[in-house]
Structure formats: structure tokens, C-alpha cells
Amino acid sequence: NAGVTQTPKFRVLKTGQSMTLLCAQDMNHEYMYWYRQDPGMGLRLIHYSVGEGTTAKGEVPDGYNVSRLKKQNFLLGLESAAPSQTSVYFCASSYMTALEPIRNIQYFGAGTRLSVL
Amino acid sequence: AQTVTQSQPEMSVQEAETVTLSCTYDTSESDYYLFWYKQPPSRQMILVIRQEAYKQQNATENRFSVNFQKAAKSFSLKISDSQLGDAAMYFCAYRWWTTDSWGKLQFGAGTQVVVTP
């Protein structure tokens, strides 16, 4: 059971380049999330998805796009990378229901370190 | 808006001693969930402990325990018998379920725990 897998683990981009980060989960979770982590700021939500084919904006969505064509995959895209997008990116997933406490856990991938020069 | 505050950027503790990390949050919700996540140098986000707001009993997981004060909106983490492997960044997080929150996590800025031999 792999859990949440993020690829790639590291990436260096030049300003203006584009790239896609892939998140895959094998736990049949309905909800998936993309966060970015910057020093001294904890994790901030970029976009999230509550099911296949649905996405929504989080706290810091500008400059990013997402897609969820399959339930197990959640893609994060940077169309024109900027130095301000240098960060560590985390994907997470969870069950949908709030009724069972055990289902109220978000499981995280190992993160992707992105540098934009 | 929901906010999570961790007022201690760094805490130092000797092996076998006890350290307490503070966390306060601001919310108007009555039903929510609180978490402590550990992030070692590997970057992996590891769930340490969780607390349901409707439960008065404080959660405990081996050497980790919380002091949950709902009226004061306080959720501190106590690490007993500290070990070198406890050295990491610790994040307090709050999760709530409404029609527009979709179980999002709100994180604090983190507290770096340093364990000295």
C-alpha cells in the first residue's frame, strides 16, 4: 500500500517554464488537496478536489491550475513559473465523511521541492 | 476566518525530559478536529495525535499527549521522555466540516523541536 505518491521529488525550473506535479493515491479517497510550504508559514492550501472532475480554489490559488480526471490522481500545473513559486509542495488525501473520526485524517505525500530561477 | 497560532518558533529539550508545545486557534465552529503533525528532515508529514472537539477527554498516544481546553481554544502537545528521534518541526492543525470548508486543514506556522543529548 503506497498511500500518497508525489512525482517528481525535486525540480528546478527557469522563470516562464511550465510543469505539472502529479499526485496519486491508492486509498480510494474522495478528497484531495494541494498545499505549499514556505519557511515560517506552515502549509497553505492551493487547490482541492472533492471528487473526480471537481476542483476548487484554496487560500493561495493564483498561478496554479489543477485537474482531477481520475479519482486517484490530482495534478497541479504551473503554466508560467515565477520565482515566488519556489516552495515545497505537498499533496494530501482523505475520506469524504465527517461522521467517523477515524476518517478525519489527511494523509500526505513526501513533498516536491521546486526551485524557480 | 479560522486561524491557528503557534507562538514558539523553537523549543529545546534534553533527552528524557518533557517539552510542551503551545497552540491556540480561533473559530466560531462548535464541531471540529485538531491535529499535531510531525515533520522530520525527510519532509514527510506524520500524524502524531488527533482530538475531536466534542470529546472532553484529552487524547494520548504513547509519549505524546494533549491538553485540550475548548473554552480557551487551546491545544497544547506534551512530549514526555523525549528522544533524539523526536527532533522535528511540529505543526498544529485545525479541520472543520461545513458546506464550504470541505474538511480543509488550517495549519499553524510550526515549532521546531531540538533534542539535545
Side-chain angles (χ1 to χ4, degrees), chain B residues 76-113:
Chain B
S76 61
L77 174 70
K78 184 170 78 172
I79 307 174
S80 304
D81 186 25
S82 296
Q83 301 174 359
L84 292 177
D86 295 332
M89 181 72 84
Y90 287 79
F91 292 99
C92 178
Y94 161 92
R95 193 178 197 195
W96 73 111
W97 292 86
T98 61
T99 54
D100 61 352
S101 73
W102 300 109
K104 291 180 285 189
L105 274 175
Q106 186 73 38
F107 284 88
T111 297
Q112 182 70 47
V113 171

Side-chain angles (χ1 to χ4, degrees), chain A:
Chain A
N1 190 339
V4 180
T5 303
Q6 290 183 233
T7 53
K9 289 184 170 49
F10 303 94
R11 187 70 186 268
V12 179
L13 290 179
K14 294 182 180 179
T15 296
Q17 287 184 319
S18 63
M19 77 161 294
T20 300
L21 306 183
L22 171 63
C23 177
Q25 53 95 4
D26 61 3
M27 295 174 281
N28 203 33
H29 287 165
E30 294 86 0
Y31 288 6
M32 296 187 75
Y33 309 84
W34 275 107
Y35 296 89
R36 62 176 288 173
Q37 182 180 22
D38 301 297
M41 300 187 74
L43 278 73
R44 293 180 294 167
L45 184 65
I46 305 171
H47 285 281
Y48 61 100
S49 169
V50 300
E52 184 177 325
T54 68
T55 62
K57 295 180 179 180
E59 184 183 355
V60 287
D62 294 342
Y64 305 95
N65 57 75
V66 289
S67 64
R68 189 148 177 221
L69 300 179
K70 294 182 178 181
K71 185 177 183 179
Q72 64 267 32
N73 295 337
F74 194 29
L75 279 63
L76 177 71
L78 286 72
E79 291 185 347
S80 180
S84 61
Q85 294 177 305
T86 293
S87 188
V88 179
Y89 292 85
F90 285 95
C91 176
S93 69
S94 79
Y95 289 110
M96 177 178 69
T97 179
L99 298 178
E100 301 172 40
I102 191 66
R103 288 174 171 258
N104 270 288
I105 299 171
Q106 284 193 17
Y107 296 87
F108 285 82
T112 295
R113 181 175 293 279
L114 174 66
S115 294
V116 183
L117 305 178

Side-chain angles (χ1 to χ4, degrees), chain B residues 20-36:
Chain B
T20 299
L21 312 183
S22 66
C23 173
T24 59
Y25 56 95
D26 186 22
T27 183
S28 58
E29 302 293 331
S30 60
D31 194 17
Y32 49 87
Y33 301 82
L34 295 164
F35 304 85
W36 280 98

